[in-house]
Amino acid sequence: MADFTYRGTLDGSEPQHKTFEVVDGTTSGLGIGTSITIGDVVEIANGYAALGADGGMAAGNILTGLATSTSTETTADGVVDVVFSPAGLIVEGTATTPANLVTAVVYDKVSLDVAAGVQTVDENAAGAMLIYEIDSDSATTGLCRVVLPFTLAS
């Protein structure tokens, strides 16, 4: 099951799709020992995509996207297809602690939590992702929509 699901862009525009390189070996950049799979949040830098790591999305100066394919790296560099939006990509994921999803957290900036290879929204840690929307039953289901940042300092 995918950790995150694409839901749209912040300004309603079509997202961009691009194939990025992935570092060789079994590291996939930040996600040591784990390949990137469909629905994983990735960080993009220098033409490479890397699996978003625990505590990731903590910096405001970050380019992120959502994997739409499984990465192909082995002992050589591979590739992964990524969807992203300079306007901000809206994705749906699960909060680390669903009971913390109350209306007071909407528009809070949060980070990424990774445990046992599963990425979730860390609603208790400040970061660059923005909680955009929750449902009336989010405190039970844990589902929330977040905006993935795609910004560089000017």
Side-chain angles (χ1 to χ4, degrees):
M1 185 173 143
D3 294 337
F4 288 87
T5 305
Y6 169 76
R7 292 295 183 224
T9 62
L10 199 53
D11 68 355
S13 64
E14 286 296 315
Q16 297 181 36
H17 300 264
K18 185 172 179 168
T19 300
F20 289 94
E21 295 282 327
V22 178
V23 174
D24 67 339
T26 58
T27 60
S28 289
L30 300 174
I32 296 173
T34 306
S35 289
I36 298 168
T37 60
I38 296 170
D40 283 340
V41 171
V42 297
E43 296 181 23
I44 303 163
N46 301 317
Y48 282 83
L51 187 62
D54 188 38
M57 310 304 147
N61 187 24
I62 189 168
L63 304 176
T64 60
L66 188 68
T68 58
S69 71
T70 298
S71 60
T72 62
E73 82 286 356
T74 55
T75 56
D77 281 3
V79 295
V80 66
D81 296 326
V82 176
V83 61
F84 62 94
S85 173
L89 196 70
I90 300 171
V91 298
E92 184 174 73
T94 305
T96 304
T97 309
N100 290 339
L101 288 182
V102 295
T103 54
V105 301
V106 174
Y107 302 119
D108 278 1
K109 289 196 165 193
V110 296
S111 67
L112 196 63
D113 189 24
V114 181
V118 176
Q119 294 176 325
T120 57
V121 176
D122 190 346
E123 75 289 344
N124 288 323
M129 292 192 307
L130 176 76
I131 293 183
Y132 180 67
E133 187 176 44
I134 62 174
D135 298 321
S136 59
D137 62 348
S138 287
T140 303
T141 66
L143 291 178
C144 59
R145 263 98 32 227
V146 297
V147 178
L148 298 181
F150 198 84
T151 58
L152 290 176
S154 49

